């Protein structure tokens, strides 16, 4: 039975759940493995880590990260998405004793403060408006332990002519003004505003996707 979606002002992709595992590799052309490796490297998960994946979709990347985690040491990853159909598919395909999935909105996380060693997000923030970007990053900061890592891979200010062309075409084609916010380059500023250290731009893909990494400072 399909899980109910969580109310949110952001865009949920329930309709895409049946074909999501086919569409995502197409969107990343022939660089899916390279892209996944870049996110994984930035995250650098350790066996005992507790990790949160914001906007996990059907959980393919969530599952990849889970393979290095050891539940006997407390290691686990939880993927959340507001789209019930996505989480239903993720649980059926990829749920395990170290890989969990919950229907939840990123701007209102049902986790206690300092619950996770790391938070990751891949191609999620361009689907939500500015106020939810800000709220989601604030929530990510809240649930991270001091010294924890945030890794975000998403649309950013274009670095090539082709990247700019694709970015602006996507904004119009999919009627998503949220994309315009990303391609103005707002994400690093919002991360800093939420309390994170200055974000690093680690790697670029296609001239419009950036892998960012920043941290929640250690408690003094």
């Amino acid at each position: 039975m399909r899980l109910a979606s969580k109310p949110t002002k952001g865009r949920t992709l329930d309709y895409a759940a049946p074909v999501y595992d086919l569409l995502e590799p197409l969107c990343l052309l022939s660089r899916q493995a390279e892209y996944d490796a870049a996110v994984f490297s930035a995250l650098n998960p350790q066996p005992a880590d507790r990790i949160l994946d914001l906007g996990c979709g059907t959980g393919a990347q969530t599952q990849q990260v889970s393979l290095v985690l050891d539940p006997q040491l407390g290691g686990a990853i939880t993927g959340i998405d507001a789209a019930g159909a996505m989480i239903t598919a993720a649980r059926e395909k990829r749920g395990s004793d170290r890989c969990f999935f919950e229907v939840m909105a990123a701007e209102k996380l049902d986790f206690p403060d300092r619950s996770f060693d790391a938070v990751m997000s891949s191609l999620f923030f361009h689907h939500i408006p500015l106020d939810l970007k800000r709220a989601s990053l604030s929530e990510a900061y809240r649930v991270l332990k001091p010294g924890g890592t945030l890794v975000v891979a998403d649309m950013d200010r274009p670095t090539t002519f082709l990247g700019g062309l694709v970015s602006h075409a996507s904004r119009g084609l999919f009627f998503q003004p949220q994309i315009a916010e990303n391609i103005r380059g707002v994400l690093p500023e919002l991360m800093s505003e939420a309390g994170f250290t200055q974000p690093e731009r680690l790697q670029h893909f296609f001239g419009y996707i950036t892998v960012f990494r920043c941290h929640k400072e250690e408690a003094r």
Side-chain angles (χ1 to χ4, degrees):
M1 187 175 72
R2 195 179 91 173
L3 298 165
S5 294
K6 201 76 170 179
T8 176
K9 291 194 300 178
R11 179 173 292 200
T12 57
L13 302 180
D14 286 286
Y15 63 89
V19 294
Y20 192 78
D21 286 346
L22 298 174
L23 289 178
E24 188 174 32
L26 289 175
C27 292
L28 292 170
L29 304 177
S30 61
R31 300 183 70 184
Q32 174 84 53
E34 183 185 354
Y35 172 83
D36 288 345
V39 174
F40 186 92
S41 176
L43 191 66
N44 190 28
Q46 302 302 305
D49 281 351
R50 290 179 54 81
I51 300 172
L52 177 64
D53 185 3
L54 302 178
C56 66
T58 55
Q61 203 168 45
T62 321
Q63 184 188 44
Q64 287 181 18
V65 173
S66 78
L67 298 179
V68 303
L69 304 178
D70 185 346
Q72 293 187 0
L73 298 176
I77 185 168
T78 300
I80 66 107
D81 201 294
M86 290 290 192
I87 295 301
T88 300
R91 285 182 176 179
E92 291 174 353
K93 294 180 178 181
R94 301 180 172 106
S96 73
D97 64 347
R98 69 195 71 192
C99 191
F100 303 94
F101 298 97
E102 299 291 341
V103 180
M104 199 177 299
E107 69 269 20
K108 192 175 182 181
L109 297 175
D110 295 329
F111 300 111
D113 296 356
R114 304 182 177 190
S115 298
F116 297 97
D117 299 286
V119 175
M120 62 179 286
S121 176
S122 177
L123 302 177
F124 161 68
F125 278 93
H126 69 274
H127 289 300
I128 59 176
L130 188 63
D131 61 333
L132 296 193
K133 289 179 172 68
R134 182 174 284 113
S136 298
L137 288 167
S138 178
E139 280 289 87
Y141 186 88
R142 179 183 66 79
V143 301
L144 263 178
K145 297 175 183 176
T149 300
L150 172 70
V151 173
V152 174
D154 217 305
M155 297 180 74
D156 186 24
R157 184 182 292 115
T159 58
T160 65
F161 174 78
L162 183 58
L165 190 64
V166 171
S167 297
H168 289 283
S170 298
R171 179 190 61 182
L173 182 64
F174 297 112
F175 303 101
Q176 283 191 245
Q178 303 93 336
I179 289 177
E181 297 163 358
N182 280 56
I183 61 181
R184 288 203 311 270
V186 301
L187 283 180
E189 180 183 345
L190 294 178
M191 292 177 202
S192 296
E193 183 183 298
F196 292 101
T197 59
Q198 182 65 36
E200 306 169 82
R201 283 183 165 93
L202 298 179
Q203 198 163 341
H204 299 285
F205 291 88
F206 315 112
Y208 67 95
I209 293 174
T210 298
V211 180
F212 297 96
R213 181 175 61 199
C214 53
H215 303 277
K216 181 174 181 175
E217 291 186 355
E218 295 278 1
R220 296 181 180 178

